[in-house]
Structure formats: structure tokens, C-alpha cells
Amino acid sequence: MLNPGSGEIGPVPRRGRLMEPIERALLETRCFSDIGADIDLSTLPEEEKEELGVELAKLEDEISTLRQVLIAKEKHLVEIKQKLGITPLNEIKHNLSKSWHDMQTSMIYKKTQETLNNTGQKATAALNNVSSTLSKKLGEMK
């Protein structure tokens, strides 16, 4: 968030936590460090270098503005969620519940469940058969 008067940007919300300015700087470095690695700037005419410099400055300014807008929107989102009583724990519970429901309604889950049920029934029948056979044998031995 842009701190009024200082021109500095503070922490940025990022998936449940704040991204510190140093993290953002590292992210930006990773994103832009390899761009242009193969370009030899000495071969570019001076006026093209200037045009590219102006375009670069404009893009950096736009990116900065977009970040500030995004930060403001994320802050507003957090405020609305707080007013609605939506906590991170509630969101996790909801996501887990939805994922569990989605898994249970998937075809692969249904087929696996059916196979396990059939296997369980066959195993139960086999164990009952072994149990009755053993009971008969023990009864004969007495």
C-alpha cells in the first residue's frame, strides 16, 4: 500500500499473508533479470535507446500504478470479508468440504468404492465359509 507522503509502498497482501517489499523486489528481479540478456545495446541507435528508455519508464510507472490499485482492492476485499465474518479458517473449511464433495462425486471415487465394497463382500463370504468349515471340523473332532 502506498504510504501517503513517503512515496513508499508497504506490505502487499499475498494469499493470506503480506508480501514484504523485499520479497517483491526479489520477485521483480527474478521476473525481469533474464529479459534482454541476448540484446546488444551498443548496436542500437541512440534515438531508439531513448525511445526504449521512455517506454520502459512508462511501463514501470503503469506497473507501479497497477500494483497500488491491486493492493487497494485486496485491502478492500479483506475488509469486506471481515465485515461478513469470513475468516481464513472458514475459507479453509469451505474449500476442504467442497474438495471432499467433489472427490466423492467423481467417477473414479465411485468405481473405487464399488470395487472395495465388492472385494469386502467377497472377503466376508470367504471368511464366513472358512469359519463354518472350521466349526464343522472342530465339531467332528469332538
Side-chain angles (χ1 to χ4, degrees), residues 105-118:
T105 57
S106 70
M107 286 305 292
I108 196 159
Y109 180 86
K110 289 178 181 179
K111 287 182 180 181
T112 303
Q113 186 179 30
E114 183 181 324
T115 302
L116 289 174
N117 285 340
N118 290 338

Side-chain angles (χ1 to χ4, degrees), residues 12-97:
V12 178
R14 180 179 177 193
R15 291 189 189 171
R17 70 175 189 84
L18 296 178
M19 184 190 322
E20 296 299 325
I22 189 73
E23 291 175 302
R24 273 187 288 135
L26 290 172
L27 179 64
E28 289 169 7
T29 302
R30 284 188 212 118
C31 292
F32 300 117
S33 63
D34 293 334
I35 296 175
D38 298 332
I39 297 174
D40 183 9
L41 295 178
S42 63
T43 61
L44 291 176
E46 197 60 38
E47 59 188 49
E48 190 173 346
K49 286 181 187 177
E50 288 177 19
E51 289 173 10
L52 289 173
V54 169
E55 185 177 352
L56 177 64
K58 286 179 183 178
L59 287 172
E60 287 174 341
D61 187 48
E62 286 178 31
I63 290 169
S64 176
T65 301
L66 290 170
R67 279 194 182 109
Q68 292 172 17
V69 169
L70 179 62
I71 290 166
K73 288 186 179 288
E74 287 176 333
K75 182 180 177 188
H76 187 63
L77 174 79
V78 168
E79 290 170 355
I80 290 172
K81 284 183 177 182
Q82 286 175 344
K83 288 178 183 178
L84 291 172
I86 300 172
T87 65
L89 182 59
N90 289 343
E91 287 184 89
I92 291 170
K93 286 179 186 177
H94 174 74
N95 290 342
L96 286 174
S97 178

